[in-house]
Amino acid sequence: MAAAMVLSAIPAQAADIPGTDQIVMSPNVQHVTNVPKPASIAATINTDIAFQGNYAYVGNYGGFSIYDIKNPKKTSVVSSVVCPGSQMDLSVYGDLLFASVDSSRNNDSCSSTTQSASVKESWEGIRIFDVSDKANPKYIKSVETNCGSHTHTLVPDKKRGNVYLYVSSYNPAANFPDCLPPHDKISIVKVPLRNPTSASVVATPVVFPDGGNESQPGLLAPTSGCHDITAYVEKGVAAGACMGDGVLFDIRNPESPKVTARVTDPNFAFWHSATFNNAGTKVVFTDELGGGGAATCNEATGPNRGADAIYDIVNGQLVFKNYYKIPRYQADSENCVAHNGSLIPVKGRDIMVQAWYQGGASIWDFTDSAHPAEIGYFERGPAAEGSGGFWSAYYYNGYIYASDFNRGFDVIKINDRRTDSAGKVRVDRLNTQTQGSYRDRGHGDWIWSDEE
């Protein structure tokens, strides 16, 4: 076991970088527990997380695992499903679990093998599982989508008994029969909740009729679709992180989203993900400089690249306010860049926790959009494997849960007067890319909804 150290959040010099796999954290952060990956998928990396009730669902390039988190201090594995196909981005709704596959397979089964997308019969897209029996999930349906499904966003339509999946994908090629350029679109999968095996693609709206941002110097890749979309359903809006562009959508008609605003940033190499504040008046976009495999949290890269960009929404348009990047330098051997995070539901404040690969988890305040600041952190020193760290770090019912490439599933807690009030908020489900508001229900009791 690596010894835990408590360090202050002062910008680190090379000599301050912790040892291999050594745990360090700010004084207000506690490491509750770590659960190693199940043996069946230990050889492949962990990815995204979804939550429902007393369970966490953790994606993995080799499948997914279900964890019992009723007592976070005693988090344990309930089951693990071997079903290869990266990235296994997950969302959950009722008894259904949805998983994204963006690696071309020879068929849609869990025993499939890799096969080039140049072969017409190859498959990639969405897998649907019945998880009513947590110990024995059942694979019930697949839906093929153009260029696969790198990520997806669940958009509930409770009144009509459906959920929609906004599927983000990219990287078309002239020799890929099911992924031809120009792509520049998303796929929308409709899932009737009473008959989920009838799920199908119902629309493929074009997001970038003009092709998007393709010529900006320093782009990781030109725009050819979206990487991730975050939907704020009750407000009828979504934010798209789309490679070279950031966009806002009107999603009041879930089968026909409309782009209402669009922005580029000369310091962004790859628009990766988005998070609204609770009021829906701001968006934090992340830049995955280096594609998640490069060391960009060092002095040479600087504070404005591989960072977050905070935008206020003013009269429906995105207005840039500032960048945020972790204030601790990482080693030149450590893959580190802005990645997946979620709001911490603090009344009257905009605070989130965010994964930074080997930069760990950063807890930061952007209430003042122009002056964001870190208030806590947790990280490990350079991974023995050479690459690793936290893919996602999310707040759920009083605790922070993080999926580590190699080390498994971590449970963390922040104890700080600035975030303590979040403990009053309870939610029955959290798909982070499906945001809901938290609001006062009276008597000091707060609720958080992603359905209304």
Side-chain angles (χ1 to χ4, degrees):
M1 294 288 292
M5 295 175 58
V6 176
L7 303 178
S8 60
I10 299 172
Q13 305 302 314
D16 298 323
I17 293 169
T20 301
D21 286 328
Q22 184 179 28
I23 293 174
V24 296
M25 66 193 87
S26 55
N28 57 353
V29 169
Q30 171 192 357
H31 190 203
V32 177
T33 193
N34 168 265
V35 183
K37 291 183 290 185
S40 60
I41 53 175
T44 43
I45 66 171
N46 278 343
T47 59
D48 210 9
I49 315 169
F51 303 88
Q52 189 163 248
N54 294 322
Y55 299 94
Y57 303 80
V58 180
N60 181 288
Y61 272 38
F64 66 90
S65 299
I66 302 177
Y67 292 80
D68 183 336
I69 57 171
K70 183 176 183 179
N71 181 346
K73 296 178 181 179
K74 297 181 179 179
T75 295
S76 60
V77 177
V78 177
S79 62
S80 185
V81 174
V82 176
C83 196
S86 63
Q87 298 182 140
M88 292 299 285
D89 200 57
L90 302 177
S91 64
V92 62
Y93 196 95
D95 291 334
L96 301 175
L97 180 138
F98 307 98
S100 285
V101 179
D102 191 32
S103 59
S104 187
R105 318 293 296 176
N106 68 328
N107 59 55
D108 63 354
S109 74
C110 287
S111 59
S112 65
T113 59
T114 58
Q115 179 171 280
S116 173
S118 63
V119 178
K120 172 63 178 173
E121 291 74 22
S122 295
W123 179 90
E124 51 188 327
I126 294 289
R127 290 173 176 150
I128 304 176
F129 294 83
D130 182 331
V131 292
S132 54
D133 181 352
K134 304 296 184 289
N136 296 287
K138 296 179 180 179
Y139 182 16
I140 62 170
K141 175 70 174 179
S142 71
V143 180
E144 187 172 12
T145 56
N146 294 144
C147 299
S149 175
H150 195 73
T151 66
H152 71 269
T153 302
L154 189 145
V155 179
D157 184 9
K158 187 177 180 181
K159 294 179 181 178
R160 296 174 178 82
N162 305 307
V163 295
Y164 292 91
L165 307 178
Y166 284 10
V167 175
S168 296
S169 57
Y170 51 93
N171 283 346
N175 64 329
F176 293 171
D178 296 319
C179 184
L180 295 171
H183 185 59
D184 293 326
K185 61 186 178 181
I186 63 173
S187 297
I188 300 178
V189 175
K190 180 179 179 180
V191 184
L193 294 174
R194 292 185 178 181
N195 185 19
T197 58
S198 67
S200 64
V201 175
V202 293
T204 54
V206 175
V207 180
F208 301 102
D210 65 352
N213 184 7
E214 297 182 337
S215 59
Q216 177 181 309
L219 289 179
L220 183 68
T223 298
S224 61
C226 292
H227 179 276
D228 213 334
I229 296 170
T230 293
Y232 203 155
V233 179
E234 68 187 81
K235 295 185 182 297
V237 296
C242 301
M243 304 182 72
D245 299 80
V247 301
L248 290 179
F249 296 93
D250 178 337
I251 61 167
R252 287 174 294 180
N253 179 349
E255 293 188 18
S256 183
K258 305 293 184 185
V259 174
T260 58
R262 178 174 154 193
V263 69
T264 60
D265 187 312
N267 283 316
F268 263 41
F270 192 83
W271 295 69
H272 177 275
S273 52
T275 303
F276 288 99
N277 68 337
N278 187 53
T281 57
K282 303 176 186 178
V283 184
V284 175
F285 287 103
T286 67
D287 173 24
E288 195 184 41
L289 174 68
T296 70
C297 299
N298 51 17
E299 188 173 10
T301 304
N304 297 337
R305 299 178 65 241
D308 297 317
I310 305 160
Y311 286 82
D312 285 356
I313 302 174
V314 181
N315 297 322
Q317 299 303 302
L318 293 164
V319 178
F320 174 78
K321 302 302 288 186
N322 206 348
Y323 297 107
Y324 170 76
K325 193 170 184 179
I326 57 173
R328 290 159 282 108
Y329 294 140
Q330 304 296 299
D332 290 339
S333 63
E334 292 183 274
N335 57 302
C336 175
V337 74
H339 215 242
N340 294 339
S342 74
L343 289 184
I344 298 179
V346 178
K347 181 181 180 181
R349 307 292 296 180
D350 298 326
I351 298 176
M352 69 180 291
V353 59
Q354 184 179 2
W356 289 76
Y357 287 125
Q358 289 199 67
S362 176
I363 301 152
W364 60 288
D365 189 322
F366 62 104
T367 307
D368 181 346
S369 302
H371 300 93
E374 184 174 76
I375 63 175
Y377 71 91
F378 173 98
E379 68 165 290
R380 291 182 172 89
E385 297 83 356
S387 67
F390 286 163
W391 182 286
S392 299
Y394 299 144
Y395 181 93
Y396 181 72
N397 291 347
Y399 291 82
I400 293 166
Y401 297 88
S403 53
D404 188 285
F405 277 41
N406 308 310
R407 302 291 166 258
F409 192 48
D410 284 288
V411 184
I412 302 163
K413 189 171 179 63
I414 182 168
N415 301 293
D416 192 292
R417 60 178 178 76
R418 292 166 289 189
T419 59
D420 285 347
S421 65
K424 296 179 180 180
V425 178
R426 286 293 181 269
V427 58
D428 292 330
R429 176 178 56 254
L430 179 64
N431 299 301
T432 302
Q433 287 74 39
T434 307
Q435 281 193 232
S437 66
Y438 46 94
R439 56 194 182 277
D440 198 347
R441 192 166 55 183
H443 312 291
D445 187 17
W446 284 68
I447 59 173
W448 191 356
S449 169
D450 68 355
E451 295 185 13
E452 299 179 19

